[in-house]
Amino acid sequence: MKAFDKLCSRAICLPLKDVDTDMIIPAQHLTSTSREGFGENLFERLRAASSDFIFNHGQAKGSQILISGPNFGCGSSREHAVWALMDFGIRAIVAPSFSDIFANNAAKNGLLLIRLDADKVSELDQQLSNFSQTLSIDLKEQVLSTSNGIKHSFVIDAFNKERLLKGMDDLDYLVAHMSDIEAFKSKQKIFLNSHSAG
Amino acid sequence: MQKNIIEKIWDEHVVKAHDEGPDIFAIDVMLLHEVTSPQAFAELRKRGLNVFQKERLFSTVDHSIPTDSSRHKPSDPLAKEQIDTLRKNVKASGVKLFDIDSGEQGIVHVIGPEQGITQPGMTLVCGDSHTSTHGAFGALAFGVGTSEVGHVLATGCILQQRPKTMRVNFKGMPPANVYAKDIIMALIQTLGVDGANGYCIEYSGEWIKGLSMEGRMTLCNMSIECGARAGLVAPDQVTYEHLKGKPHAPKGEQWEKAVAAWSHFVSDSDASFDHELDLDLSQLKPMVSWGTNPEQSVNILGSIPKLSDLPEDKKIAGKKALDYMGFDQSRDISGIPIQWAFLGSCTNGRIEDLRVAAEIIKGKKVHEKVTFYVVPGSEQVQDQAEKEGLTEIFKEAGAIVRKPGCSMCIGMNSDKVPHGERCISTSNRNFIGRQGTGSYTHLASPATVTASAIEGKITAAG
């Protein structure tokens, strides 16, 4: 997993509530067996429906931050949504809230999610929507600031922060605890009749 | 200490608690399908890790397989490769596969319960958000992403934050033409699509006690549509009778022991929840969605809202939905012409759903302007429907009976609603383009879908 420390970039502003995973990456693109290449079809339908859609803007490519509305990433569990955003170049998303499964998936891939109050997100949206300014994120200090002086601190749980800063991986962490896991599982009582179906 | 059912299951699965971060959380069973597993198997290979406890893993093909005779040889080369990749991966690791024509293949959330794999008190995950379906058996079941599929493959565990708990108390009994689908849609309308973010829900109330396992599965299935990763119903006699004799259910003496252990998974009488909500069922009517997310729905006697009727914070999304769906003014939801009807999916593709639909369409015809797809949730459902004469009834009426799979719920194969056409559907999501680019979806119960297919317009069942 890629480590996350500091980032300074223009931001793409998508002030929509309930951006769902079908919008982010439509299901017909999920037949790939790879993690790569999904960025090409990021928000495909919205990009096709209107040339004004923000991801069609000349400045969108190369912007590494997305600002969006509450409940971002709702819907399906497809991690492809996170892969598509990251493949496009997004490294951080600022929104009032995120859906649970999307947030879990983001944490597994080093995509930083920043939760901010809705009025602060709206303010950022107003400042950043024409790509004329940049947004800086300092994860260690838990601060974000725009090039014209708006500054907010943000909250992130200590465990997630450390994982992101170090680029640590959940699977390495779990594998390191394998003896605890095996001891636990050997004592566990479940009633799955595993042999009947062969 | 008094505990609710979610806390009981959680506490029995914590391998190692973490004060400031997620617990190491044991997963009892994982179900796999072709779409969200290939990258997980690849990750294990990359790291030189083996599959752990393969006897706790079960797989099938459902999302990208065609539902016609080409299901053996998908014409889409990527879908074919994805299916072949699953076959190779499970063969190499010794994981059970319920493959096409085994008599056991089907939508992953239909076959888990059919096989008796889904059991009370267990933790179950799958790379699919509708894994909440399995909560019908009193299991804590939720969808995970592909990285977490890999974590379970390699270690039988994931890192997981303890959820908040919510109890939904259903009050009173619903009218006869109101089904579990209508009730979960009414709940989602009440809570909103993010109303239960961060929560697991226990569903309770008198109505639940008399509800079939199929109904409970429909209810739990759509928990994710109000943001809850999991929804469950405490196990009872209905659960045990349904489970007994299924292939992977315990047998003989083990069965007695299991029931004794499972009976513990109920909320203690004084258990508390982080949030409680009552929903009165007695006044409910069949529900139909009008918009582009599952909270945007209305009862079938109601009207599509005007923009001015919507609360301030729902106006932007509401306007987008009304524009997309082609509603520039308020009108009754009933009577809207449809060109497609879909009966199937992990929400409503079980035998009980097909029975309800067959009862309504028996001796009648599908409207000449409507294509009605009936897609059994599994090969077992398909066989049972044939045995009961339901397939014949559907065919006589002019419906098209397809082979088991996710089909038109997700549109990953050629089962798509064409651009500009309108579908009434028993599936679970009406997101823009979900059933095909440029298509319009109205979610409803099997009864409403079938009545609408006959009339050629959105219609309440008799």
Side-chain angles (χ1 to χ4, degrees):
Chain A
M1 196 177 91
K2 244 180 165 175
F4 191 109
D5 178 17
K6 286 179 184 170
L7 180 65
C8 179
S9 163
R10 291 186 307 268
I12 303 168
C13 297
L14 181 64
L16 274 183
K17 187 181 182 298
D18 307 320
V19 170
D20 63 64
T21 50
D22 278 77
M23 282 185 208
I24 300 171
I25 183 82
Q28 70 258 32
H29 299 300
L30 305 187
T31 46
S32 168
T33 55
S34 152
R35 284 174 186 253
E36 272 103 51
F38 291 102
E40 194 183 321
N41 295 308
L42 179 70
F43 290 111
E44 185 209 37
R45 289 200 188 102
L46 293 169
R47 283 156 97 174
S50 163
S51 58
D52 292 340
F53 180 61
I54 193 69
F55 275 80
N56 287 329
H57 193 286
Q59 300 268 36
K61 192 72 197 166
S63 298
Q64 294 176 276
I65 300 169
L66 176 62
I67 315 265
S68 195
N71 198 30
F72 187 91
C74 66
S76 118
S77 65
R78 63 188 70 156
E79 197 163 314
H80 312 65
V82 172
W83 299 336
L85 286 159
M86 294 190 79
D87 194 46
F88 184 86
I90 303 294
R91 296 293 321 278
I93 309 178
V94 183
S97 62
F98 297 90
S99 94
D100 292 350
I101 304 181
F102 181 83
N104 258 2
N105 289 340
K108 308 291 180 269
N109 289 276
L111 177 64
L112 173 64
L113 304 185
I114 297 176
R115 292 166 181 82
L116 275 192
D117 294 343
D119 53 346
K120 291 178 183 163
V121 175
S122 300
E123 189 189 13
L124 288 176
D125 190 57
Q126 280 164 17
Q127 296 287 328
L128 297 166
S129 62
N130 61 4
F131 296 102
S132 63
Q133 294 179 55
T134 56
L135 183 67
S136 298
I137 297 171
D138 185 332
L139 175 58
K140 204 169 168 201
E141 298 300 322
Q142 297 181 213
V143 169
L144 56 80
S145 50
T146 64
S147 43
N148 74 338
I150 297 174
K151 195 169 176 180
H152 295 300
S153 59
F154 61 87
V155 177
I156 182 169
D157 75 80
F159 188 86
N160 199 8
K161 179 179 173 180
E162 194 191 334
R163 277 189 299 181
L164 279 161
L165 283 171
K166 295 182 178 163
M168 261 164 57
D169 189 278
D170 280 8
L171 187 49
D172 289 340
Y173 181 88
L174 286 167
V175 169
H177 287 85
M178 214 53 212
S179 56
D180 290 336
I181 292 171
E182 280 171 0
F184 179 91
K185 292 246 174 185
S186 68
K187 282 187 297 186
Q188 212 192 3
K189 182 126 194 71
I190 75 161
F191 296 95
L192 196 65
N193 184 6
S194 303
H195 305 292
S196 59
Chain B
M1 195 190 113
Q2 298 274 311
K3 285 186 189 175
N4 67 47
I5 177 174
I6 298 158
E7 293 165 333
K8 285 183 183 182
I9 301 175
W10 191 274
D11 289 346
E12 290 205 2
H13 290 84
V14 175
V15 175
K16 201 172 165 50
H18 196 299
D19 289 341
E20 287 181 27
D23 297 337
I24 296 181
F25 189 67
I27 300 303
D28 295 330
V29 164
M30 179 162 67
L31 306 174
L32 296 154
H33 62 83
E34 74 275 26
V35 178
T36 54
S37 66
Q39 297 89 346
F41 279 105
E43 191 64 30
L44 261 66
R45 281 195 295 275
K46 197 170 109 187
R47 298 181 188 225
L49 295 169
N50 292 322
V51 168
F52 180 68
Q53 288 189 318
K54 62 176 198 268
E55 69 283 1
R56 305 268 194 100
L57 308 169
F58 301 88
S59 63
T60 193
V61 284
D62 55 3
H63 281 66
S64 59
I65 58 161
T67 59
D68 58 13
S69 54
S70 74
R71 70 201 296 248
H72 300 280
K73 284 188 184 164
S75 56
D76 176 352
L78 285 176
K80 187 175 181 307
E81 188 194 330
Q82 196 169 56
I83 291 161
D84 288 342
T85 302
L86 179 81
R87 288 184 178 131
K88 266 186 244 160
N89 282 333
V90 297
K91 193 168 181 198
S93 49
V95 170
K96 172 74 185 170
L97 170 66
F98 300 107
D99 207 345
I100 293 170
D101 288 345
S102 62
E104 297 169 318
Q105 175 267 343
I107 304 174
V108 67
H109 309 310
V110 177
I111 67 169
E114 276 176 358
Q115 294 294 328
I117 294 165
T118 309
Q119 297 177 4
M122 75 172 24
T123 55
L124 184 153
V125 296
C126 173
D128 189 286
S129 62
H130 294 108
T131 306
S132 55
T133 312
H134 305 263
F137 291 79
L140 188 59
F142 51 90
V144 295
T146 298
S147 291
E148 289 180 318
V149 169
H151 301 167
V152 179
L153 280 178
T155 71
C157 287
I158 50 177
L159 290 178
Q160 206 65 13
Q161 200 82 42
R162 181 180 272 267
K164 291 184 282 185
T165 60
M166 183 188 301
R167 178 157 59 190
V168 173
N169 304 298
F170 293 115
K171 300 284 185 188
M173 298 299 273
N177 65 344
V178 170
Y179 296 85
K181 178 63 165 285
D182 301 306
I183 289 167
I184 187 65
M185 284 181 68
L187 180 67
I188 295 162
Q189 185 201 38
T190 305
L191 274 170
V193 284
D194 58 353
N197 275 7
Y199 288 92
C200 289
I201 301 176
E202 180 186 5
Y203 298 107
S204 72
E206 274 308 301
W207 167 66
I208 297 268
K209 292 181 186 165
L211 186 64
S212 68
M213 289 312 294
E214 283 88 347
R216 294 179 189 187
M217 284 187 255
T218 301
L219 183 69
C220 292
N221 173 275
M222 286 185 73
S223 304
I224 184 69
E225 309 311 334
C226 52
R229 288 186 76 180
L232 53 71
V233 174
D236 59 13
Q237 277 310 312
V238 177
T239 320
Y240 303 143
E241 275 163 35
H242 186 93
L243 194 48
K244 197 170 188 180
K246 297 270 192 300
H248 290 273
K251 310 272 185 291
E253 209 177 289
Q254 279 299 308
W255 172 260
E256 303 304 326
K257 279 190 186 160
V259 172
W262 293 337
S263 309
H264 155 72
F265 293 108
V266 292
S267 291
D268 294 330
S269 54
D270 290 330
S272 64
F273 290 78
D274 296 305
H275 186 68
E276 293 218 43
L277 176 83
D278 292 348
L279 187 76
D280 177 19
L281 304 182
S282 62
Q283 303 302 315
L284 291 184
K285 300 196 170 51
M287 298 291 291
V288 183
S289 71
W290 55 263
T292 54
N293 73 41
E295 80 175 45
Q296 292 169 332
S297 65
V298 67
N299 88 56
I300 198 155
L301 302 180
S303 311
I304 293 166
K306 286 196 289 264
L307 199 55
S308 55
D309 298 340
L310 294 171
E312 215 44 51
D313 64 326
K314 309 262 180 197
K315 275 198 167 70
I316 295 176
K319 176 163 183 354
K320 273 194 138 17
L322 290 167
D323 287 350
Y324 178 79
M325 294 296 284
F327 301 127
D328 51 5
Q329 53 192 357
S330 181
R331 60 153 297 163
D332 291 347
I333 190 92
S334 180
I336 293 172
I338 48 132
Q339 295 79 43
W340 287 78
F342 172 59
L343 172 63
S345 83
C346 59
T347 312
N348 281 126
R350 297 183 180 79
I351 192 68
E352 190 178 275
D353 303 310
L354 270 59
R355 285 181 190 138
V356 166
E359 181 72 26
I360 292 169
I361 209 164
K362 191 174 185 176
K364 299 196 173 81
K365 292 283 180 202
V366 174
H367 191 274
E368 57 181 7
K369 291 192 173 153
V370 173
T371 309
F372 185 16
Y373 269 22
V374 176
V375 186
S378 70
E379 291 181 355
Q380 279 198 21
V381 172
Q382 170 184 267
D383 294 348
Q384 184 65 25
E386 271 171 30
K387 211 183 289 175
E388 294 182 21
L390 311 182
T391 310
E392 199 49 40
I393 293 171
F394 290 123
K395 286 182 177 167
E396 281 280 308
I400 298 167
V401 182
R402 313 275 294 188
K403 296 282 180 186
C406 299
S407 183
M408 210 172 253
C409 173
I410 185 160
M412 273 194 71
N413 54 25
S414 54
D415 299 359
K416 289 186 177 75
V417 177
H419 194 279
E421 300 200 359
R422 198 171 288 275
C423 179
I424 188 150
S425 175
T426 65
S427 55
N428 40 55
R429 288 195 178 126
N430 50 342
F431 294 156
I432 292 175
R434 170 92 176 176
Q435 294 193 290
T437 301
S439 66
Y440 311 116
T441 300
H442 294 275
L443 304 175
S445 74
T448 304
V449 165
T450 309
S452 305
I454 296 165
E455 298 298 329
K457 56 190 181 189
I458 296 177
T459 308

